[in-house]
Each structure stands twice: as structure tokens, then as C-alpha cells.
Amino acid sequence: PLLDAHHLLHFIEGNINPPPATLPNPENNNETIPNPDYKIWYKQDRFLFSALIDTLAPTVIPYVSKA
């Protein structure tokens, strides 16, 4: 229920792909600009990763955090 309530369940179900980190700059085709959707995705991804790490035994964390 917690993940569903925060609209994060799709991360666990594998129904989401990360958006590109940058987008073409509409004002200059030779440049890219940060993608605001990526920033949101990254923040949610790190939140979930931290929440999952907190549920693990301390002896297991080094193996998972390097993955």
C-alpha cells in the first residue's frame, strides 16, 4: 500500500524505464539540456533503493549496494 499510495509501485513491478537524462535543446540542436523527468525518476529510484537497503541485514548490504 505504501508504494502504491506514493505512485511508486511501477518501479517494483518493472513497468517503468528510466527517461533519458538529457533532451535536445530546442533552441540549439548542438546542445542538450537536463531532462526534468529524469531528475524526478532518479530521486524516486534512490528513495526506493534506500528504503530497500534499510530492510537488509547489515552483513548483506555491502553486496547489494555495489550492484
Side-chain angles (χ1 to χ4, degrees):
L2 178 67
L3 296 179
D4 195 25
H6 290 281
H7 306 287
L8 299 172
L9 192 57
H10 55 275
F11 277 88
I12 304 303
E13 294 174 335
N15 298 332
I16 188 171
N17 291 319
T22 60
L23 297 170
N25 185 343
E27 298 176 6
N28 183 342
N29 290 337
N30 297 324
E31 295 180 355
T32 59
I33 57 175
N35 183 352
D37 290 339
Y38 178 81
K39 290 177 110 176
I40 293 168
W41 174 87
Y42 185 79
K43 184 178 177 181
Q44 291 173 332
D45 182 71
R46 294 292 86 194
F47 169 77
L48 286 174
F49 183 77
S50 296
L52 291 172
I53 288 292
D54 286 345
T55 67
L56 299 175
T59 55
V60 177
I61 291 174
Y63 298 103
V64 176
S65 64
K66 293 180 183 178

